[in-house]
Amino acid sequence: MVEHQTFQIANSIGKNKVLCQCSDTLTYVDMHTKIGKIIKGNWLIIGVLIFAAVLRLWKLGSIPPGLTPDEASLGYNTYSILKTGRDEHGQLLPIIFEFFGDHKPGLYVYLAVPFVAFLGLSEFTVRLPSAIAGVVAVVLIYLIVQQLFQNNKLENGKYLEKQGSVPQEKMAVLTAAMLAISPWHIHFSRGVWEANVSLTLTLAGILLFLKAFKKPSFGYFSLILFALTFLVYQGAMFSTPIIIFALVISYNKSFRQRFSLRKVFLFRFFVFGVLIMFLVGLIIFSNNIGKTMHLNNFYEILRQWFAFFSARFLFFEGDWQDQIYSIPNHGMMLLADLLLLPLGLYVLIKNKLSKEKLFIILWLILAPLPAILLSDQNWTVRSYNTVIPLVLISSFGFLYLLNVISKIKRPVLLVTYYLVLFTFMTGASIYFLDAYFIHLPKHNAKYWFYGYKQVVEAVGSIQNNYDKVVFQQSDDQPYIYFLFYQKYDPKKFQEQSDFVRSEEGGVSYVQKLDNIHFQKFSWPYATGEKRTLLVGSPVAVSADYSKNSYNLVSEIKYPDNFMTAFRLVETK
Amino acid sequence: MNNELRIKKIIVILILLLAAFLRLYRLGDYPALNADEAAIGYNAYSLLETGHDEHGNSWPIHFQSFNDYKPGAYFYLVLPFIKFFGLNEWAVRIPGALIGIATVYVVYLLVNEIFAKQKKQLFVANPRMLALTASFFLAISPWHIHFSRGGWEVNLSTFFITIGVLLFLRSVRKVLSIKYLVLSILFFILSLYTYHAARIIAPLLVFGLSMIHRNQIKQNLKRFVIAGLIGTILLIPLGLDLMKGTVFSRAAGVGLFADTGTIERINEQRYEHQGTIWTNSRILHNKLVNYGLLFLNNWTKHYHGEFLFLSGDDIQRNKVPEMGQMYLFDIIFILAGLVAIAKKFGAWKAVLLWLIVAPVAAALTFQSPHALRAQNMVIPLVIISGYGLISLSSYLHKIFPDKKLLGLIFTIFILAISWNFSQYLLAYWQHMPKKYPFSSQYGVKELVEYVEVVGDNYERIVVTDRYDQPYILFLFYLKYPPERFQANHELSVADEYGFSTVRKFDKFEFRSIDFENEKQDNPNGLIIGTDAEIPNETHVVKEIYGTNGYKYFQIVAN
């Protein structure tokens, strides 16, 4: 206790010193105390938001390079809905869309409609809803943290400032900033990831849930928002119930104290329903649809869990199973989090467990479950919600560091430590930004299906010169790129389209679009016809084309100007 | 109280007996002797007989051996045992096993020492309970048993480091008593003479411990300086030997910089900057950053749950199949221990420091995680795990006043521990030699026994070099006269990892067998190859099986 007091005194002395040194500015601020405070308080978060927006919107159309088939498909369906009110299969305003034979909820399509309507169909407009959702998430986390720690509940020890100051404001801005720069969140905000929109809806749901303690009617809106996640993202049937479960466990007591029996009952009824959905979803996924997926056994779950919380995944390599989810030579978190996360966990564990902290811990432990229980590859998407507790905990760590430093008495040391901390954070941020904005477009181009845009343009300009264009068929679903980049008339496509299911069932393909035939062929491929254009990967259309009576039309290169993405050849 | 103390003493003795049984039972014949152990044994033998090691160096600090320049302390520890018990497997291994048992006791003392003055920093009233649990966990630790059963230098260095930490802390407790401080420095320095990795870990530990207790040291700076001076003097011989340069070749061979993939990555990264807004990226993509990240990556791998609890090291020689380096139950106890430590941090600085420092040397090499080089990590881990068990128990005791429920929970604990322990015993004694037949040099002893009987009938004996360094095992089992060997052999040029071998001594030649050629070149010779090297239709005079039932050699008389 004595030690604690001396710390406080020392702390206040240290502050006075700092204050004295800049007394000139202080008088100026004193004159405008009120206005100054308001502007200052809000400018910080506004600055963070601008930062978040820049990181999510800058070059959104070209970084990541190319479009995944899923992105192109969502984009074209948006276009189709906009022009005809029907999706590519001719369904009138569906809720569940069929993408390549896979049935998925499609709220994202409707979110993209206004952007495509006003700005035209492009990579940028398709990705825009997710990017905007990412910026909104930053606002929401700011409000949530304010709400969570409004009574300084986090603070039971020495590491946070005392009552009267505003640690929750500091914490809120800090968390918002950490989310704004979070590699995982930026990656999933820049691209058509339904999971990202679902996360933003979940955050809004959590915010309203917390607000409901003051204004009960928010509770209903909260539930509506949680329910909306199911319409936007298939995996939400795992991830959203987990969040609700964590909320209920943590806030059960306060809930009972605050609300009437009837409301508690209704709420439980809803929660119960959601949990049943979770179980049903799990059973469906593990038995019927997912023949490639099954529930993991105990050892496998442990192994996956460790892999999820490994430094390799979080800091050094990211998702090493599937490159599309990761940033080259970078983990899902900032390198600085290697220090901040353990510190944050220490802060979290050290003091008494409040319901807010319990919520964060439960969220952290349970959110990876959808990725860990099932044995397929979509790890990083399924566990995407974990980014929030991770960022929160990092921010605790950062705040703790700031507080430790602010207690240092000697000004020289103080400045040095702040400088070190500043360099440390900017260094880690620059390393990430470099990896994302400079390296990813080149290094990961092929995982992002780079080359389809270029090949569609190349083929489109000359396809009428040929009787027949043979395009290599694959799981990349090349037809969708032709539809997307040629802005193919949806009505025309709906009339002529014939989808063919693959032999194993599941995936469906389109085999013909005007004079373009999508088909698998093995090299050397003899068409037997004149005036044919053959398009495929450099493996499918080998470099010895001239021996097999073909002439080269052009080659599409990857951004490194070295590897070939596509080769176009015509019959001699 | 007195009675309680007596009970605890009895428990300590029981734990030590358990540790001794696990480390001494069938020590001589299981697992089979490996080439490094044979080198230790034969060099010690050679020193005793001639005053020179196998290559004719007189009383060296580093033993040249396979040109890997092994630090010498363990060799000298083995010396008296070879003197009295002769050159055999047991004599090479018994010092290691005894040191392993001693380490268990030292950990008991260490935990008592750490919390002697700071009982309030624990969730339990009595630090002795924690000391007992920690030493019990070390006694049954797969990681520690593995390297105690054999001539592993690392085990001796871990012992020295542990006792060094113990004495350092005792010295601090006794107002920096010079006696303990000098002793502590002495043991730390002994560890430097024992094992390469200790040369990084021990200085870091001493530095860290000094930082933790900087206030006491400032007050008694004189004593600290004196101890430091004595330490420096003791380091001079080692320093002089290291300056010869040859020793460093080993470090360079396994070091981070041996991994050229990093350089390629730097070039790739710089290339990717071409044509972007930021063309000269040297400030971001350089050796410092990339090797720094590689080091960090390696370092964190040692804390990966997969390594610690599920699969263990990648190298078969360093592990038991189907297991991590620790037990499965340690997951819960270590987690609980860390949580409890976070709640009351005070006295745990030393243990946490050790946990952080322990894998640093291993992380500086290109194979990570590495159970051998990071073996000293097991000490902080068992202490934390023991603390987890105890604090979890006292926590459960608090929230479940109901005796029956508590009893049930403890039964589950005990069942979990014994289940994991029996799994380990099965894996170590039954599965290891069958699953990892090449983890140790099985079969060579049986081979040499046969060759000794029939060898005189042949002019030349050609042996395959498929299994590690066969020459040293031949020397060892033949008890070949060292003076004759020293005069008549030469070391081959070092391979890419910096290792050399002896291709020929006496009538023995070691190389990979190209059967048709050997048959022509060696009339009246004995050709010993692996199953794969000897063609099927050849007339094999003898097949050699290891104790694990695996067929290692086929012998053809020409």
Side-chain angles (χ1 to χ4, degrees):
Chain A
M1 215 30 225
V2 177
E3 195 186 51
H4 180 47
Q5 279 170 352
T6 38
F7 252 123
Q8 266 196 313
I9 293 164
N11 196 6
S12 62
I13 292 172
K15 259 191 198 151
N16 283 339
K17 263 189 195 166
V18 177
L19 288 181
C20 294
Q21 283 164 352
C22 48
S23 55
D24 283 349
T25 38
L26 257 186
T27 39
Y28 174 76
V29 174
D30 275 340
M31 282 163 62
H32 305 84
T33 322
K34 268 195 175 171
I35 316 160
K37 258 187 185 170
I38 293 165
I39 293 174
K40 198 187 154 204
N42 287 331
W43 269 124
L44 257 178
I45 184 65
I46 289 169
V48 167
L49 284 180
I50 293 172
F51 182 56
V54 168
L55 289 182
R56 280 155 185 77
L57 296 172
W58 186 62
K59 283 196 170 180
L60 181 61
S62 57
I63 301 174
L67 273 185
T68 67
D70 288 339
E71 287 181 299
S73 173
L74 258 165
Y76 187 72
N77 276 290
T78 309
Y79 187 69
S80 183
I81 292 274
L82 180 70
K83 295 281 172 188
T84 65
R86 293 169 187 276
D87 75 352
E88 59 172 318
H89 297 274
Q91 300 278 344
L92 186 66
L93 297 176
I95 294 172
I96 307 289
F97 282 76
E98 185 185 339
F99 300 118
F100 312 132
D102 201 1
H103 294 266
K104 283 194 223 164
L107 189 58
Y108 193 100
V109 170
Y110 297 101
L111 291 176
V113 163
F115 300 109
V116 173
F118 288 109
L119 302 170
L121 178 64
S122 70
E123 294 103 329
F124 182 79
T125 48
V126 184
R127 286 173 176 169
L128 204 49
S130 180
I132 291 174
V135 180
V136 174
V138 175
V139 183
L140 287 172
I141 196 77
Y142 171 76
L143 297 173
I144 287 174
V145 172
Q146 274 189 334
Q147 204 66 36
L148 273 179
F149 304 116
Q150 56 179 340
N151 302 323
N152 280 350
K153 277 180 194 128
L154 179 70
E155 169 261 345
N156 294 312
K158 313 170 203 165
Y159 61 95
L160 280 183
E161 289 166 57
K162 279 282 151 195
Q163 294 269 352
S165 57
V166 277
Q168 92 267 25
E169 178 66 25
K170 219 176 179 179
M171 176 71 194
V173 175
L174 200 66
T175 316
M178 293 294 274
L179 188 66
I181 187 87
S182 159
W184 202 346
H185 196 254
I186 289 177
H187 189 70
F188 279 79
S189 296
R190 297 180 64 100
V192 181
W193 299 105
E194 295 101 321
N196 189 47
V197 179
S198 162
L199 174 63
T200 303
L201 289 172
T202 311
L203 285 176
I206 293 170
L207 178 65
L208 291 182
F209 177 90
L210 296 174
K211 292 226 174 198
F213 286 97
K214 279 199 186 124
K215 207 174 168 201
S217 61
F218 279 147
Y220 299 108
F221 292 109
S222 160
L223 294 184
I224 290 171
L225 283 165
F226 283 133
L228 275 180
T229 62
F230 298 119
L231 290 181
V232 77
Y233 170 52
Q234 202 173 19
M237 71 168 139
F238 303 119
S239 54
T240 304
I242 285 173
I243 304 287
I244 294 175
F245 175 75
L247 271 177
V248 170
I249 295 275
S250 323
Y251 283 86
N252 193 19
K253 218 170 168 187
S254 347
F255 208 79
R256 262 190 324 206
Q257 286 165 353
R258 176 70 182 74
F259 294 110
S260 67
L261 260 175
R262 195 171 60 91
K263 276 183 183 154
V264 172
F265 176 76
L266 270 176
F267 182 70
R268 290 216 175 129
F269 191 71
F270 175 79
V271 168
F272 190 63
V274 162
L275 286 179
I276 286 182
M277 258 182 85
F278 177 74
L279 289 177
V280 169
L282 206 62
I283 291 163
I284 291 175
F285 254 77
S286 55
N287 288 336
N288 297 342
I289 302 175
K291 276 175 188 141
T292 52
M293 286 180 273
H294 58 262
L295 281 176
N296 283 322
N297 66 21
F298 174 68
Y299 277 91
E300 206 44 50
I301 288 171
L302 263 185
R303 182 160 284 141
Q304 297 257 24
W305 203 302
F306 286 135
F308 186 89
F309 288 109
S310 70
R312 182 182 177 195
F313 176 66
L314 292 179
F315 308 112
F316 297 110
E317 284 177 44
D319 194 328
W320 61 86
Q321 294 161 335
D322 195 345
Q323 296 282 328
I324 197 144
Y325 301 124
S326 62
I327 302 156
N329 298 320
H330 203 285
M332 308 314 294
M333 308 278 295
L334 286 182
L335 275 171
D337 291 321
L338 190 54
L339 175 70
L340 298 183
L341 261 186
L343 273 182
L345 276 176
Y346 168 68
V347 172
L348 207 59
I349 293 167
K350 179 160 183 63
N351 296 289
K352 233 182 143 185
L353 197 69
S354 61
K355 56 180 183 296
E356 291 81 7
K357 286 203 284 180
L358 180 66
F359 174 52
I360 296 171
I361 291 174
L362 278 178
W363 192 349
L364 178 73
I365 296 173
L366 297 178
L369 275 184
I372 285 162
L373 293 178
L374 297 169
S375 73
D376 73 332
Q377 305 277 305
N378 303 322
W379 235 44
T380 324
V381 198
R382 287 251 171 78
S383 58
Y384 178 53
N385 279 0
T386 328
V387 69
I388 299 297
L390 284 171
V391 162
L392 272 167
I393 292 169
S394 282
S395 309
F396 287 147
F398 195 89
L399 202 62
Y400 174 75
L401 263 189
L402 278 180
N403 251 54
V404 168
I405 291 176
S406 72
K407 278 174 193 156
I408 289 165
K409 287 161 236 164
R410 282 166 57 193
V412 182
L413 262 183
L414 189 78
V415 173
T416 322
Y417 277 111
Y418 273 126
L419 271 179
V420 169
L421 186 65
F422 178 75
T423 328
F424 177 64
M425 290 307 294
T426 25
S429 306
I430 288 175
Y431 186 79
F432 156 65
L433 294 175
D434 171 72
Y436 194 88
F437 289 100
I438 305 250
H439 294 287
L440 183 133
K442 288 190 175 176
H443 197 273
N444 282 5
K446 77 165 167 258
Y447 307 110
W448 279 91
F449 302 86
Y450 180 91
Y452 272 105
K453 180 181 191 174
Q454 292 76 0
V455 85
V456 167
E457 279 166 6
V459 171
S461 61
I462 53 172
Q463 79 183 89
N464 291 332
N465 305 342
Y466 300 96
D467 294 338
K468 188 179 175 188
V469 178
V470 178
F471 200 105
Q472 184 195 358
Q473 178 72 292
S474 70
D475 284 343
D476 296 359
Q477 302 282 0
Y479 85 94
I480 198 71
Y481 292 99
F482 280 90
L483 297 181
F484 185 94
Y485 287 115
Q486 293 187 335
K487 299 201 177 71
Y488 199 91
D489 182 6
K491 204 159 193 179
K492 201 172 150 201
F493 179 70
Q494 286 164 30
E495 281 160 8
Q496 65 159 307
S497 70
D498 66 310
F499 288 90
V500 180
R501 294 209 164 267
S502 68
E503 281 162 25
E504 309 89 53
V507 186
S508 74
Y509 299 97
V510 166
Q511 293 188 316
K512 192 169 174 298
L513 191 69
D514 294 339
N515 66 341
I516 307 172
H517 296 255
F518 301 100
Q519 62 186 72
K520 288 184 176 158
F521 54 83
S522 54
W523 189 259
Y525 173 68
T527 55
E529 294 164 57
K530 290 278 166 193
R531 281 161 52 90
T532 299
L533 182 70
L534 191 65
V535 188
S537 70
V539 179
V541 181
S542 177
D544 60 352
Y545 46 81
S546 58
K547 269 189 240 161
N548 294 291
S549 63
Y550 284 103
N551 284 330
L552 184 66
V553 178
S554 65
E555 281 185 342
I556 311 286
K557 297 276 187 194
Y558 281 118
D560 62 3
N561 277 326
F562 183 64
M563 302 281 279
T564 305
F566 289 101
R567 193 170 278 142
L568 287 74
V569 294
E570 58 181 2
T571 45
K572 268 181 187 166
Chain B
M1 188 63 204
N2 220 347
N3 203 14
E4 204 186 311
L5 232 109
R6 196 175 301 144
I7 291 173
K8 273 173 185 153
K9 258 185 191 158
I10 292 170
I11 296 176
V12 174
I13 291 167
L14 285 176
I15 289 172
L16 288 178
L17 282 176
L18 175 67
F21 177 72
L22 290 170
R23 282 157 183 77
L24 295 175
Y25 175 66
R26 285 182 59 195
L27 181 66
D29 64 299
Y30 187 82
L33 201 72
N34 67 40
D36 289 316
E37 292 176 293
I40 291 169
Y42 189 74
N43 276 292
Y45 180 68
S46 177
L47 273 182
L48 279 172
E49 299 280 309
T50 66
H52 296 277
D53 77 354
E54 58 170 310
H55 302 301
N57 307 307
S58 137
W59 301 98
I61 290 174
H62 289 90
F63 284 79
Q64 193 178 355
S65 188
F66 316 129
N67 263 347
D68 53 352
Y69 289 90
K70 299 176 165 80
Y74 191 76
F75 291 70
Y76 291 103
L77 188 65
V78 168
L79 219 58
F81 291 90
I82 303 251
K83 175 93 185 158
F84 289 110
F85 301 103
L87 181 60
N88 58 47
E89 296 107 323
W90 192 82
V92 176
R93 286 176 167 178
I94 190 69
L98 292 176
I99 286 297
I101 300 160
T103 313
V104 174
Y105 186 64
V106 173
V107 164
Y108 173 76
L109 295 178
L110 175 67
V111 175
N112 275 328
E113 183 59 52
I114 295 176
F115 302 103
K117 251 187 162 180
Q118 315 196 47
K119 288 179 192 169
K120 278 182 192 161
Q121 301 293 351
L122 289 173
F123 279 101
V124 280
N126 196 341
R128 279 222 169 77
M129 271 304 287
L130 174 57
L132 285 175
T133 327
S135 54
F136 171 70
F137 278 167
L138 188 67
I140 62 167
S141 159
W143 201 346
H144 195 254
I145 293 174
H146 198 84
F147 295 117
S148 293
R149 292 181 58 89
W152 298 95
E153 299 109 317
V154 69
N155 197 45
L156 180 63
S157 91
T158 299
F159 170 74
F160 285 144
I161 290 173
T162 314
I163 210 164
V165 173
L166 166 69
L167 292 169
F168 192 100
L169 293 176
R170 181 160 293 174
S171 158
V172 168
R173 183 160 61 92
K174 307 211 160 166
V175 209
L176 215 68
S177 136
I178 186 81
K179 183 176 79 182
Y180 289 119
L181 193 61
V182 170
L183 271 176
S184 157
I185 296 295
L186 182 74
F187 277 108
F188 275 121
I189 284 172
L190 273 175
S191 79
L192 307 189
Y193 280 92
T194 314
Y195 191 61
H196 289 299
R199 289 166 190 176
I200 290 160
I201 293 156
L204 283 176
L205 271 178
V206 172
F207 175 75
L209 288 172
S210 312
M211 287 306 286
I212 291 172
H213 299 287
R214 58 184 177 279
N215 286 336
Q216 279 101 315
I217 288 172
K218 262 184 209 159
Q219 284 160 14
N220 305 289
L221 201 59
K222 215 165 134 191
R223 293 181 205 169
F224 191 69
V225 171
I226 292 172
L229 280 177
I230 294 173
T232 316
I233 293 166
L234 291 172
L235 273 178
I236 290 174
L238 183 67
L240 288 177
D241 204 48
L242 284 174
M243 277 203 286
K244 283 180 198 158
T246 42
V247 181
F248 273 117
S249 62
R250 167 80 177 146
V254 299
L256 269 191
F257 297 107
D259 177 9
T260 51
T262 308
I263 302 283
E264 281 159 28
R265 177 176 292 176
I266 295 173
N267 289 332
E268 185 193 44
Q269 283 171 328
R270 286 183 184 168
Y271 175 74
E272 282 166 4
H273 271 265
Q274 283 177 13
T276 64
I277 44 173
W278 184 12
T279 46
N280 192 350
S281 57
R282 270 161 199 276
I283 191 164
L284 201 61
H285 302 305
N286 50 48
K287 283 186 192 169
L288 184 70
V289 170
N290 275 276
Y291 279 112
L293 288 176
L294 183 61
F295 165 75
L296 274 180
N297 196 351
N298 283 346
W299 176 69
T300 53
K301 278 178 191 168
H302 290 88
Y303 304 99
H304 188 12
E306 173 99 32
F307 168 69
L308 288 178
F309 309 114
L310 297 179
S311 307
D313 200 333
D314 284 340
I315 301 163
Q316 296 185 348
R317 179 178 282 194
N318 295 343
K319 66 176 246 192
V320 177
E322 307 138 26
M323 279 203 65
Q325 294 302 323
M326 311 283 291
Y327 288 110
L328 221 47
F329 67 72
D330 282 313
I331 298 175
I332 293 163
F333 295 153
I334 287 177
L335 267 182
L338 287 173
V339 169
I341 290 171
K343 298 246 175 212
K344 287 183 180 180
F345 185 59
W348 285 93
K349 281 179 190 157
V351 179
L352 288 183
L353 168 79
W354 197 344
L355 184 67
I356 290 168
V357 164
V360 167
L364 286 170
T365 66
F366 70 86
Q367 291 162 310
S368 279
H370 201 288
L372 178 69
R373 296 187 190 124
Q375 191 227 10
N376 72 100
M377 199 177 164
V378 72
I379 308 286
L381 281 175
V382 292
I383 296 176
I384 292 171
S385 182
Y387 187 46
L389 172 60
I390 292 201
S391 47
L392 198 61
S393 310
S394 68
Y395 177 71
L396 291 174
H397 196 62
K398 215 168 27 179
I399 59 170
F400 296 121
D402 183 1
K403 280 259 166 71
K404 272 184 197 162
L405 197 58
L406 197 66
L408 181 71
I409 291 167
F410 281 121
T411 320
I412 291 172
F413 277 1
I414 291 165
L415 278 178
I417 292 175
S418 22
W419 178 54
N420 282 178
F421 181 54
S422 35
Q423 261 184 330
Y424 161 67
L425 289 181
L426 193 69
Y428 185 87
W429 288 97
Q430 292 295 326
H431 301 170
M432 189 170 72
K434 299 206 170 68
K435 278 208 166 169
Y436 302 151
F438 308 114
S439 60
S440 218
Q441 272 65 61
Y442 294 96
V444 183
K445 184 176 188 179
E446 291 78 2
L447 175 66
V448 176
E449 272 165 12
Y450 176 75
V451 169
E452 264 189 304
V453 176
V454 300
D456 292 339
N457 308 332
Y458 300 94
E459 270 172 35
R460 207 182 287 168
I461 298 168
V462 185
V463 184
T464 177
D465 64 352
R466 273 297 304 281
Y467 310 123
D468 215 339
Q469 302 261 3
Y471 89 90
I472 194 73
L473 288 146
F474 270 72
L475 291 174
F476 183 93
Y477 288 122
L478 289 169
K479 296 197 180 72
Y480 192 80
E483 62 271 21
R484 267 171 69 195
F485 180 72
Q486 284 165 26
N488 292 306
H489 77 273
E490 64 182 278
L491 266 171
S492 68
V493 182
D495 67 4
E496 52 181 319
Y497 304 106
F499 287 103
S500 301
T501 187
V502 171
R503 293 267 171 229
K504 187 172 188 276
F505 75 89
D506 208 328
K507 62 169 101 166
F508 300 100
E509 292 180 19
F510 304 92
R511 53 176 170 259
S512 57
I513 305 286
D514 179 355
F515 187 71
E516 288 309 316
N517 286 343
E518 301 292 352
K519 202 174 170 184
Q520 277 175 18
D521 298 347
N522 299 302
N524 194 24
L526 203 59
I527 303 170
I528 303 168
T530 64
D531 202 6
E533 282 169 337
I534 306 293
N536 281 338
E537 59 278 12
T538 320
H539 176 66
V540 173
V541 292
K542 173 86 179 165
E543 289 178 332
I544 301 289
Y545 290 84
T547 46
N548 53 357
Y550 186 90
K551 192 205 290 178
Y552 285 91
F553 300 102
Q554 291 191 328
I555 302 174
V556 178
N558 209 2

